[in-house]
Amino acid sequence: MADRVWDTPEVTGWRRVTAHAVRHDLDEPDRRLPLDGTWRFQLLDNPSSPIGDDWASILVPGAWTMQDAGGSDLPHYTNVTMPWPGAPLLLPEHNPTGVHERDFDVPAAWAGRRVVLHVGAAESVLFARVNGVDVGLGKDSHLASEFDITAAVRPGEVNTIRLTVVKWSDASAIEDQDQWWHAGLTRSVFLYSTASTYLGDLRVVAAANGSLQVDVRVLTTGPVLPEGWRVTATLDGRPVPLDTAHEQEQIDVDRVSDWWAEPRFSTVVPDVVPWSDETPSLWTLTVVLHDCDGAESDRTTTRVGFRDVEISGRDLLVNGVRVMIRGVNRHDFDPRTGRTATASQMRADLVLMKRYGFNAVRTSHYPNDPVLLDLADELGLYVVDEANIEAHDHAHEIADDVRYLPAFVDRVARMVSRDRNHPSVIIWSLGNESDYGANHDAAAGWLRRADPTRPLQYEGAIKDNWTGGLAGSDIVCPMYPSLAQIVEHARSGSQNRPLIMCEYSHAMGNSNGTLAEHWAAIETTPGLQGGFIWEFWDHGILQRLSDGRPAGPASASFWRDGAVESGYRWAYGGDFGDTPNDGTFCADGLVFPDRTPKPAMDEHRELASPIRLSDAGDGQVRIVNRGSFRSLGWLRAVWELDGQRVPMTLPDLGPGQEAVVPIPSGVGGPGVEQWLTLCVAVGRDQPWAPVGTEIASPQIQLRPALPAPARTGGTPAEVDDDGLLVHPAFAVAPRLSLWRAPTDNDRIGGQAERWRRLGLPDPERRVIAIRRESDRTVVDAVYETSMGPVSHRQTTHLFGNIVFVSEEVTLPDGLDDVPRVGTVLQLTAGFDEMSWFGHGPRDTYPDRHVGGPVGEYRVRIDDAFTPYLRPQESGGRHGVRRLRMTGPDTPSVELTMDQPRQTSVTRFTAADLDQATHHDELTPRPESVVHLDAAHRGLGTASCGPDTLPEYLVNAGTYRWEWTLS
Ligand code: GAL
């Protein structure tokens, strides 16, 4: 092993095959030898430790940190902080080093042929050795390393391969992304074989007007290219002619040097349907290398999409159209393997994104598995392809450090060389959170020359009020700006590039408040074009509670709807004894670790609806096609009114067109609240959804409910000596609640601490007076907070078996921004279902309810709660008019509100949730904990980025609300 190259940033690789876009990972039975499976494994203390005789076994691909073979080297989570202190090259003495070994047979037919070893990904430095011969080394944990092993392999015999992976290296400091640290071989390993003259690279440029240019690179390992070999190209079986500038396809005519030829093919394909997120049309390009007898010697295929990407002023245009980027950031992640994902898992990710209205992915923060790009091409997702460069903890030192210059350029160049032919890739990214330095401009310089067909972006470059850093970014791509900031920039007159947020709306826990306001502004402000939500995954690792280890790749599915079975839990930072760590900050995705979508996904889905509905007056409704490239023919829809489905035919509208149609007649009478919903479904099979898949339910209110008539009279309700209401349905009588179990946003954003200091979780209650009048009971109480007493008056009447409660609360001056003002009570055990009229079916909140159409819903109380990785406020239902709880052996209870209110019914009190750090610490109560809120604070996204908007705060003042129980 070369001496200490693992702490030498100048060395990015040794004897690697030049990165290229010729695919060998696809099925090629005669020319490809998969080496995935069980390997021998030893974990050394550091790269210099001797290798012993004791071998364990390990699954490849698979990080050792997720397998028993990894021993005590377990996953470690940090965001910015490096796992060791000091300078980037001051590597820890204990530097786990995994030796992976296996034997394999090389087909005898490969004798005399070139043989290449492909290692899909190794974290973080790879040393490769075949039959005792060092064949090369590679860095960059998220790109393949390939080595020509022709001289080392013995076809027809048993061979031995050893892949040694060193965990900590100079590269770690530029792979300091916010995610778990792992180590090992995380993508597939295989061999492939070619003749000594072979297809070395392929560059495809296909434009929306149908023009196609294919540059093929033919290379030889011999001293000179053989005579009489030639290359042909076909597109969907039809020949693509050689470029007229080149006379024939004899490779010696296109010879660049003795060992390198570059024939170019070009054509114009008539009537192409340009590739876009909505119309992902693909053609198959096949390039064949023929020997001097005309026999096929090498072949490669690639999928081609014809499309244009350009920037015009401050608009990013795809095929000439200003498209909205409804994006999400995605890591390669799996709760059992850490990083390794199969093609079908990646497909499931992207299918889910499409079904929830996403049209773009940023491969944060490194080139994802190459299969992901095939899938994005096929399903129709725009990709920001990001280089594996994040020097976060040492950003300032590294961005200008000449020793790291080769790595910056190498990582960008190798990514581009791999991914340039994918139509889905519309923007390159130079990496993430690494300050901005000369190394970035060097990489950008290489990239602009090598691929002038796409823009590039880098968040760190957008200095000087977002007007500077033009060399480093063609896009203003800030992270977590406030809504006001982006709107102001777009209106400032100084915006000089498209504005697409590389990260926004941090999805940690119960979050993504104000997404609707963001999209209202984006869609109406020229210069704004969307962004990428942070992020897709909650990076919770499936952990066995018996021994605290990762459950590992072989474990079965132990989960349902985000919750894991007993004996397991979703682990986050610190749960493997990892220090330093950043706790739950890795659990900040729109989906649970098992890919169950969180309620925030519903919000995004509705905001991305391909159809918009609005009231056009005169009994008519306006329908708008919000697509960019297609008419509404791919959809079908039905009306839903008064609980009934009414058939409808969608008008044939082109992109952006609108029409007015009559409102269907309903059955509801006057005074009854009425909502019209358009249930929109896929009408023609899509690669991501079969016909009938519902993808949006835009809704308008046709008739508000009449306010409930004021109640007077009745008889006084019974209260106990403390003035608390007595009723057989109550396990705990109603009281005032001013607090919620802090969400991740409340906790990390600092509100939770302030609320505790104010005394809101459990304020002392003092009864001032209890008055029993002829028709009512009036209880005056105060709740002590550190800003002074909160006065609370509760008035109760009885009408037969209906209890009528009217409440009034005054928060003293200065008691601003509290989580809620409302009633909390517990119903006796025995209720197992709840039904309600309001937003639903899943959790909705004041600043996140567009995704929950108003309607009548029913759910099991056990399921009315979303199990965010760290327990927190959850289960809210917004705009609820009435709630009914039922159980098999209990008379049902109905609660009605004076006006639509925020409510929740769960098995947990706020204190239960607040005290637990993981779900396995929670025991559901048999009682039902009910909250009826006069006001509930918005969720915002303050765990990283802007908090909710001022209109969603609960401030000092007087609140009145009324409810009945029957
Ligand atoms: C960004 C960063 C992400 C992640 C996020 C917070 O600054 O690019 O990797 O850390 O914040 O979750």
Side-chain angles (χ1 to χ4, degrees), residues 7 51 80 94 161 179 202 215 231 282 322 347 352 371 390 441 509-510 515 736 753 773 866 869 914:
D7 65 6
I51 298 177
V80 178
H94 172 55
I161 182 171
Q179 59 175 345
L202 184 69
D215 287 295
V231 179
L282 295 173
R322 178 176 177 264
R347 176 179 286 273
L352 199 69
V371 169
E390 175 160 340
D441 282 351
N510 194 357
L515 211 49
L736 175 66
E753 206 26 60
E773 298 177 5
T866 303
L869 261 61
D914 181 44

Side-chain angles (χ1 to χ4, degrees), residues 79 178 365 390 432-433 479-480 503 506 534 585 588 944:
N79 172 11
D178 176 5
H365 294 299
E390 175 160 340
N432 190 54
E433 297 188 313
M479 47 174 75
Y480 313 108
E503 294 175 26
H506 198 245
W534 186 266
F585 208 58
D588 54 2
C944 183

Side-chain angles (χ1 to χ4, degrees), residues 605-614 622-627 631-639 648 650-651 653 657 659 678-681 695-699:
R605 185 181 96 149
E606 207 49 53
L607 292 169
S609 166
I611 293 182
R612 172 159 295 161
L613 217 58
S614 60
R622 180 173 295 104
I623 289 184
V624 184
N625 175 1
R626 302 171 75 216
S631 71
L632 291 185
W634 70 286
L635 297 171
R636 67 184 195 199
V638 290
W639 293 118
M648 72 96 67
L650 280 172
L653 299 174
Q657 290 180 339
L678 188 66
C679 305
V680 181
I695 53 167
S697 15
Q699 191 178 48

Side-chain angles (χ1 to χ4, degrees), residues 613 621 638-641 644-648 661 664 676-678:
L613 217 58
V621 64
V638 290
W639 293 118
E640 197 174 275
L641 187 62
Q644 297 187 347
R645 291 214 156 187
V646 184
M648 72 96 67
V661 302
L676 175 67
T677 310
L678 188 66

